[in-house]
């Protein structure tokens, strides 16, 4: 079967939807809460779904951007579908589908290819991209990696080829599958730093606008090093050791203590971050008890560990606790670099 249309069909559209591994059921629940009925097929267990939604393509993106789901990381429209019994023929049909998109001519376009492990396309996704690009010369577009005007998304499933053309913002993330990649720096203290880098990018936070930060559960110091790099004064609290490379920094005060045993001046900080990797209930109580030290208008970034099997209920409970402490939730999101956790972005009123 071949389905080809330019922007979806009437009040029904289909998307390949991606979440962090193991969290697709919750992404699906978010879709169900937003759109009512969702018809879905699993493409990669726990991670990638093909979802049919009772709304037009443009409307799906607008509503998802408004609602900013926590677990749904990325969507890509399915306007082309072809089974791959004859792989060469399906690829030719895909090329014809893409060439038909005249708006791509002269535009900055990114081609994002993904595949399942058991895909009919045996080589890697990069080689699929290469093979397609070679056949798309006459499109006359400028192939780019970032800051594209259009995304051509191709998904090579086990025995099916899917594709769609969209604007990057319609996909919730302009990274292929929402997989945000940062280069590991030399001497980087922890991978945890990527979480704050991703929060900066995803939530559009300008960290250089803050002056004084409190980092709770700071060791070994990935987040602290990020905040120091952004020019902030940092008070780091952790009973564990901080990386020795940070300790000489004149802008760092390190309190080698449990966060329950520290006191600060009221409104001393304009930023509070916490990546304690602890029971979410205890974490939210402990952070709430320190929120007097965050100025009104100040920002908080907190990771919430998802310990048990009902993350949606758990997140609601944690959010309720923070809302009772004068925190307004800006975003609640499972970032690509979050594993069994989500990140909350809040502002104190
Ligand atoms: C995931 S690590 C933090 C990593 C850090 N964000 C980084 O970028 O390197 C969690 C830290 O929380 C600390 N922690 C756990 N409970 C704490 C508490 N009650 N008070 C302060 N720190 C605590 C642990 O000692 C551990 O170093």
């Amino acid at each position: 079967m071949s389905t080809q249309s330019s922007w979806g069909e009437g009040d029904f559209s289909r998307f390949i939807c991606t979440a962090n591994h193991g969290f697709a059921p919750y992404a699906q629940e978010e879709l169900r809460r937003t759109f009512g009925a969702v018809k879905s097929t699993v493409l990669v267990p726990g991670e990638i779904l093909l979802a049919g939604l009772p709304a037009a393509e443009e409307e799906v993106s607008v509503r998802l951007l408004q609602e900013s789901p926590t677990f749904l990381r990325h969507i890509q429209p399915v306007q082309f579908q072809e089974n791959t019994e004859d792989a060469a023929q399906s690829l030719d049909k895909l090329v014809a589908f893409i060439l038909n998109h005249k708006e791509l001519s002269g535009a900055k376009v990114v081609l994002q290819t993904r595949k399942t492990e058991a895909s009919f396309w045996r080589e890697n996704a990069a080689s699929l991209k290469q093979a397609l690009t070679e056949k798309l010369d006459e499109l006359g577009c400028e192939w780019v990696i970032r800051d594209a005007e259009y995304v051509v998304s191709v998904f090579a499933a086990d025995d099916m080829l899917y594709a769609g053309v969209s604007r990057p913002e319609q996909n919730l993330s302009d990274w292929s599958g929402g997989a945000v990649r940062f280069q590991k720096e030399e001497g980087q203290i922890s991978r945890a730093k990527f979480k704050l880098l991703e929060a900066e990018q995803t939530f559009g936070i300008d960290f250089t606008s803050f002056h004084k930060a409190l980092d709770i559960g700071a060791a070994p110091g990935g987040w602290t090093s990020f905040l120091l790099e952004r020019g902030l004064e940092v008070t780091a609290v952790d009973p564990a050791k901080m990386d020795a490379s940070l300790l000489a920094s004149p802008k760092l005060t390190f309190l080698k203590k449990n966060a329950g045993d520290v006191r600060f001046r009221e409104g001393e900080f304009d930023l509070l971050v916490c990546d304690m990797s602890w029971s979410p209930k205890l974490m939210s109580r402990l952070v709430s008890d320190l929120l007097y030290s965050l100025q009104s208008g100040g920002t908080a970034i907190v990771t919430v560990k998802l310990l048990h099997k009902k993350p949606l209920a758990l997140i609601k409970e944690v959010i309720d606790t923070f809302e009772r402490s004068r925190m307004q939730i800006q975003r609640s999101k499972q970032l690509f670099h979050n594993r069994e956790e989500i990140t909350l972005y809040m502002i104190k009123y």
Side-chain angles (χ1 to χ4, degrees), residues 49-82:
L49 306 167
L50 172 65
L53 302 172
E57 224 172 71
E58 298 272 13
E59 193 195 331
V60 168
S61 301
V62 168
R63 284 174 68 183
L64 288 176
L65 281 172
Q66 275 166 357
E67 306 221 341
S68 19
T70 300
F71 292 102
L72 183 61
R73 194 174 83 198
H74 181 267
I75 59 171
Q76 61 190 69
V78 174
Q79 301 145 355
F80 170 95
Q81 176 175 346
E82 187 70 33

Side-chain angles (χ1 to χ4, degrees), residues 37-149:
V38 180
K39 279 192 207 156
S40 72
T41 311
V42 173
L43 295 179
V44 174
E47 207 170 318
I48 306 180
L49 306 167
L50 172 65
L53 302 172
E57 224 172 71
E58 298 272 13
E59 193 195 331
V60 168
S61 301
V62 168
R63 284 174 68 183
L64 288 176
L65 281 172
Q66 275 166 357
E67 306 221 341
S68 19
T70 300
F71 292 102
L72 183 61
R73 194 174 83 198
H74 181 267
I75 59 171
Q76 61 190 69
V78 174
Q79 301 145 355
F80 170 95
Q81 176 175 346
E82 187 70 33
N83 79 50
T84 55
E85 260 165 46
D86 182 338
Q89 197 181 65
S90 4
L91 286 167
D92 284 346
K93 287 190 182 171
L94 171 60
V95 168
F97 161 79
I98 300 171
L99 289 175
N100 219 7
H101 279 266
K102 302 297 176 213
E103 72 275 26
L104 302 181
S105 165
K108 289 184 180 178
V109 182
V110 60
L111 176 59
Q112 296 182 342
T113 53
R114 293 193 291 157
K115 55 162 283 189
T116 55
E117 258 184 65
S119 172
F120 74 95
W121 183 265
R122 289 277 161 231
E123 295 164 51
N124 62 19
S127 77
L128 176 58
K129 178 174 172 165
Q130 172 81 26
L132 287 170
T133 313
E134 281 166 12
K135 294 184 176 189
L136 289 167
D137 250 6
E138 65 186 86
L139 200 55
C141 66
E142 182 190 342
W143 294 115
V144 294
I145 304 287
R146 307 218 52 78
D147 301 322
E149 292 165 85

Side-chain angles (χ1 to χ4, degrees), residues 70 199 203 205 223 272 274 283-284 299-304 315 318-320 322 328-335 338 341-347:
T70 300
F203 303 146
I205 301 171
W223 284 30
L272 180 153
C274 173
M283 178 280 292
S284 48
T299 288
I301 310 282
V302 172
T303 55
V304 180
I315 292 166
V318 170
I319 284 179
D320 285 348
F322 282 125
Q328 198 170 51
I329 313 298
Q330 306 298 303
R331 294 284 294 275
S332 137
K333 183 147 185 67
Q334 186 168 53
L335 301 172
N338 284 140
E341 61 185 15
I342 60 150
T343 299
L344 287 181
Y345 164 30
M346 306 179 277
I347 292 183

